[in-house]
Amino acid sequence: MPYLPLDLDAKKKAALIGGSLGIGPGPVLWGLMEMWEYVWRTKRDVLREFEVLGCVAPGGARLMDALIAADFLERVEGGLRVRGAARWLFGLEGKRRGGIASKGN
């Protein structure tokens, strides 16, 4: 995939989160991109807490909790679900495969 989706609402929320934690939006946006890339590579939208913490470092647990509060993450059985990942990342892949398959018709 040549890009990872990040909409304007996410950008606005990242600025709010970064401001509330005193770290600015940069580390928040980077953590989100790392997390989405990790989901894309592993093909799982439910991550274990240590995987999320690895993606959002050095923001750590405070940033992870803020991402939960801002609805980027959701606690589910087995870990933390990256909200929207199944639709955007895996849905886009399905469309790509469908497009490739239709070329032969």
Side-chain angles (χ1 to χ4, degrees), residues 39-102:
V39 166
W40 176 253
R41 283 187 288 121
T42 62
K43 304 295 186 228
R44 298 182 288 118
D45 67 339
V46 176
L47 304 179
R48 293 170 288 213
E49 194 169 302
F50 84 91
E51 293 170 312
V52 172
L53 288 171
C55 292
V56 301
R62 288 180 60 220
L63 179 50
M64 183 182 70
D65 290 341
L67 292 175
I68 293 167
D71 295 325
F72 285 108
L73 295 170
E74 173 183 35
R75 288 199 184 275
V76 296
E77 186 176 330
L80 296 160
R81 184 174 67 87
V82 180
R83 298 188 65 181
R87 181 184 69 216
W88 284 104
L89 297 180
F90 307 142
L92 291 174
E93 177 65 10
K95 288 179 185 176
R96 184 189 71 79
R97 278 188 256 148
I100 289 171
S102 70

Side-chain angles (χ1 to χ4, degrees), residues 6-7 13 20 25 27 33 37 54 61-62 75-76 85 87 89 98:
L6 187 71
D7 65 18
K13 284 184 179 181
S20 72
M33 295 301 286
E37 179 186 359
R62 288 180 60 220
R75 288 199 184 275
V76 296
R87 181 184 69 216
L89 297 180

